[in-house]
Amino acid sequence: MTLRITAVGRLRAAALSLVTLVALLVTAAPAAAHNQLIESDPADGASLDEAPQQVTLTFDQPVQRGAGEGVNQVAVTGPDGGSWAKGDVQIDGTTVTAPLHPLGPAGEYVVGFRVLSADGHPVSEELRFTLTSHGPGDDTPPGGQTTAPSQAGADDARSGGEGESGGIPVWVWIVAAVVLLGAGVTVALRTGSDRS
């Protein structure tokens, strides 16, 4: 009788452990999500009388630096298709800043970005703002024609970027926890059935 209660107790403990793990995974899911843009300057859809000197993007989680240059990119394309971003982007925790050449022609500018999110996956998006009057720059951008940040380049950056940041993707920890829990439940059930 005592052995049967012990086996049932172990089974209940294993079930409780499984429920606890599922609860932890459900609550940890938001932490495993890709970075989300929460603010930009200029704001998406803004109409500006004066040309901005830089583009600032703020995310809900820190942006990884990755390995090598060009992992995190911001491209600013003018009304004529020219590139107005200059130099490398600056990363400070959740903020990415891209300096701009002095903007010239009035019209719509497209800000395309690709960043390495906290979970190790690339995130890309486009924003738009309109310069309502001619800026201080020339009509032709010093940066020439633009190339938008590509998804393929982001995947390459991700494969090399996780090691330097020291961040192992969350899904690896989740899989390891599930495997360990499954092994523990199996051992507990076998030990309980051997005694009865």
Side-chain angles (χ1 to χ4, degrees):
M1 185 73 167
T2 307
L3 292 177
R4 183 172 291 174
I5 292 172
T6 305
V8 170
R10 287 186 182 167
L11 186 58
R12 286 182 183 163
L16 180 61
S17 297
L18 184 59
V19 169
T20 303
L21 178 65
V22 169
L24 287 172
L25 294 178
V26 168
T27 57
H34 299 331
N35 285 25
Q36 296 291 320
L37 182 69
I38 57 174
E39 186 178 0
S40 67
D41 183 18
D44 189 22
S47 292
L48 307 174
D49 297 333
E50 295 183 15
Q53 296 179 353
Q54 63 185 21
V55 171
T56 304
L57 307 171
T58 305
F59 296 89
D60 63 340
Q61 300 176 62
V63 174
Q64 290 194 36
R65 293 184 188 275
E69 295 180 19
V71 172
N72 299 300
Q73 298 180 6
V74 176
V76 179
T77 306
D80 58 353
S83 176
W84 293 90
K86 78 173 178 184
D88 295 329
V89 298
Q90 304 297 315
I91 300 169
D92 184 12
T94 60
T95 304
V96 175
T97 305
L100 301 176
H101 293 289
L103 301 184
E108 184 179 70
Y109 287 78
V110 178
V111 178
F113 68 83
R114 184 191 67 213
V115 298
L116 192 58
S117 72
D119 67 355
H121 291 92
V123 175
S124 57
E125 193 175 329
E126 282 188 357
L127 310 169
R128 298 170 188 276
F129 69 89
T130 302
L131 187 59
T132 57
S133 58
H134 197 283
D138 296 330
D139 286 335
T140 56
Q145 293 301 311
T146 189
T147 56
S150 69
Q151 188 66 30
D155 292 338
D156 294 342
R158 181 184 67 201
S159 64
E162 291 172 0
E164 180 177 305
S165 69
I168 296 174
V170 173
W171 67 266
V172 172
W173 294 108
I174 293 171
V175 170
V178 170
V179 169
L180 286 174
L181 180 66
V185 169
T186 302
V187 169
L189 292 175
R190 284 188 180 171
T191 302
S193 64
D194 288 346
R195 290 186 181 173
S196 42

